[in-house]
Amino acid sequence: MMTTLTTTWTTISESDRRRIARWQKGMLALAILCEIFLAADWYAFAAVLPFVSESLKLNPAEAGLAQGIFALTYGIGMVVWSPVSRSMTARNMLLIGLAGTGIGMVLQVFVQSYTQLVILRLVIGFFDAGIFIGNMKLIFGWFPQSRRGSVVGIILAAYSLAITMDFALGIPLTIATGWRTFFAVLAIGTLLVAAVDALVVRNNPRELGLDGFTWGNETPQQHLPLGEIFRSKWIAVGGFGIVACTFAIAGTATWVVPAFITVQHMPPEAGAIIGTVMGLSQVLFLVIGGYMSDRLGKPFMIKLTACLAFLTALMFLWSVVTPMSFPMLVLFAALSGIALLGGGAIFALLSEKYSDALAPAAIGYAEVFGIFSAFVAPWMMGAIINASGSSFTGAFIAFAVVELVIVGLLVILAREDVSQGAVVGSPAE
């Protein structure tokens, strides 16, 4: 019977280590690009919401639903792509996801009605899910457990950087040329990244000729049923952790700028400054939190982040009931990223608690928990604003209440114990 020779990072030559390190940088750069366009396509509408609303005659409830509806098929996509991730390569998942999203963005340039806009955002959401899971699979293939917290933190920071660029570049471009031009630029960029993926991606070091290579920490059971994922409480911990973060992202990205314009009488063009500062804040805190998660307990980081998301909601609630100067609004935007401090810890925790064979699927299913909130947050807050005659107070109270409930759930669930210490899917089980 033939056996496959196993090699690890500690047993390969120095030249092979340098070669892997170069490819790690390249694949991380590509993963960052993929994440940038995933998020940019998602939040482009939020960045230019007032302009699209004026063009298509949308009320606040319709605008909130159009932004949030994206998450519905993103969540469905997670359910579809998660089992597919066990057999499809990261390269192919990224290629299909990027191509589908790019084509949807091209069509979105030409929408003439609210119905057309909603349909295309549903289509784009499904393919965006494939990009995300493909990205996680690519990262798990190229980085060991000890570095995944910081690397995933960087990937999520790229997500927030894209939201920043949507506001920083999208609003001025829209003012100058119209929102359709902005969407067209994103469509072209997404398709170009798909072409790069098709040409250069390698799924793991084994594709460099290092047959049998492992990082020394994989538990390579390939045929475990997906139901094993749900026997562990960590899928719920990851899911509710994502809820805390995505509710904060979706709620603030969609409604903070309109709230400041309405309540604080901020000039609309200043929305680019607020959106940019919020995005850069998320980038900073995600990178810091990623490194912290590799050094501190990941369950602790997840609970801390939920608490900080609740404090963020209270902060913005304060901003819609109290007159404030523009520098104070900028300060609040600069602090908003604390709601995502432990974002990297969530996905790194799932990659620790599940074997590499199950981890991408586990992350996909956990995303379904959380992505639901990316649909609920903008829609619910928009509906409250619409029902209250353009008052933002009730919307931000609801934001705070949701985050407080998540804090309570995570305090109960995210506790380490002996029975939950083993890796789900390891050969020892």
Side-chain angles (χ1 to χ4, degrees), residues 23 27 30-31 34 81 84-100 127 130-142 193-204 207:
W23 275 90
M27 293 301 97
L30 180 64
C34 292
W81 290 106
V84 171
S85 71
R86 303 179 72 192
S87 57
M88 185 179 289
T89 65
R91 175 184 176 275
N92 289 341
M93 292 186 73
L94 288 171
L95 182 58
I96 295 171
L98 289 163
F127 286 103
I131 299 174
F132 184 81
I133 298 182
N135 239 6
M136 290 297 105
K137 187 164 186 174
L138 185 66
I139 290 303
F140 293 166
W142 279 101
V193 175
V196 172
D197 169 80
L199 292 172
V200 306
V201 163
R202 301 294 181 271
N203 295 290
N204 52 56
E207 296 190 0

Side-chain angles (χ1 to χ4, degrees), residues 29-328:
L30 180 64
I32 288 171
L33 272 179
C34 292
E35 199 72 12
I36 283 175
F37 279 94
L38 183 163
D41 293 343
W42 186 329
Y43 284 95
F45 176 76
V48 296
L49 185 148
F51 305 95
V52 182
S53 294
E54 181 180 2
S55 176
L56 299 182
K57 311 301 181 187
L58 309 181
N59 64 42
E62 289 173 332
L65 182 61
Q67 173 60 28
I69 200 72
F70 189 98
L72 179 61
T73 44
Y74 190 83
I76 293 171
M78 287 295 170
V79 175
V80 174
W81 290 106
S82 291
V84 171
S85 71
R86 303 179 72 192
S87 57
M88 185 179 289
T89 65
R91 175 184 176 275
N92 289 341
M93 292 186 73
L94 288 171
L95 182 58
I96 295 171
L98 289 163
T101 298
I103 293 170
M105 288 297 293
V106 170
L107 296 175
Q108 191 173 254
V109 172
F110 302 101
V111 296
Q112 298 296 326
S113 69
Y114 176 61
T115 300
Q116 292 172 358
L117 175 67
V118 168
I119 290 172
L120 284 171
R121 285 188 62 76
L122 288 169
V123 170
I124 295 167
F126 177 82
F127 286 103
D128 252 7
I131 299 174
F132 184 81
I133 298 182
N135 239 6
M136 290 297 105
K137 187 164 186 174
L138 185 66
I139 290 303
F140 293 166
W142 279 101
F143 291 90
Q145 286 280 6
S146 61
R147 294 184 60 189
R148 288 180 186 172
S150 56
V151 171
V152 173
I154 292 170
I155 296 296
L156 297 180
Y159 185 101
S160 292
L161 177 62
I163 300 174
T164 305
M165 294 169 67
D166 273 341
F167 283 89
L169 303 179
I171 292 178
L173 180 60
T174 297
I175 291 173
T177 64
W179 58 269
R180 296 181 191 276
T181 301
F182 174 43
F183 285 177
V185 169
L186 291 176
I188 293 168
T190 304
L191 292 173
L192 286 175
V193 175
V196 172
D197 169 80
L199 292 172
V200 306
V201 163
R202 301 294 181 271
N203 295 290
N204 52 56
R206 290 186 291 278
E207 296 190 0
L208 303 181
L210 298 173
D211 293 338
F213 178 85
T214 74
W215 293 107
N217 63 344
E218 293 96 335
T219 52
Q221 291 222 1
Q222 300 296 326
H223 303 292
L224 285 170
L226 290 173
E228 290 294 316
I229 291 171
F230 300 97
R231 293 179 59 189
S232 168
K233 72 176 183 179
W234 298 112
I235 187 69
V237 171
F240 287 125
I242 296 170
V243 168
C245 294
T246 55
F247 202 100
I249 292 176
T252 57
T254 306
W255 292 115
V256 163
V257 169
F260 286 177
I261 292 172
T262 301
V263 177
Q264 302 293 347
H265 308 293
M266 182 182 75
E269 57 271 20
I273 298 173
I274 296 299
T276 300
V277 172
M278 285 198 298
L280 291 176
S281 173
Q282 292 172 13
V283 171
L284 175 64
F285 284 106
L286 277 165
V287 172
I288 293 172
Y291 283 96
M292 289 173 64
S293 71
D294 281 338
R295 291 157 180 79
L296 303 175
K298 293 179 178 66
F300 165 76
M301 286 294 296
I302 293 171
K303 288 182 284 188
L304 173 63
T305 299
C307 291
L308 293 175
F310 171 63
L311 292 177
T312 300
L314 293 181
M315 179 177 71
F316 284 117
L317 174 59
W318 183 21
S319 75
V320 299
V321 298
T322 305
M324 293 182 178
S325 65
F326 183 69
M328 182 64 74

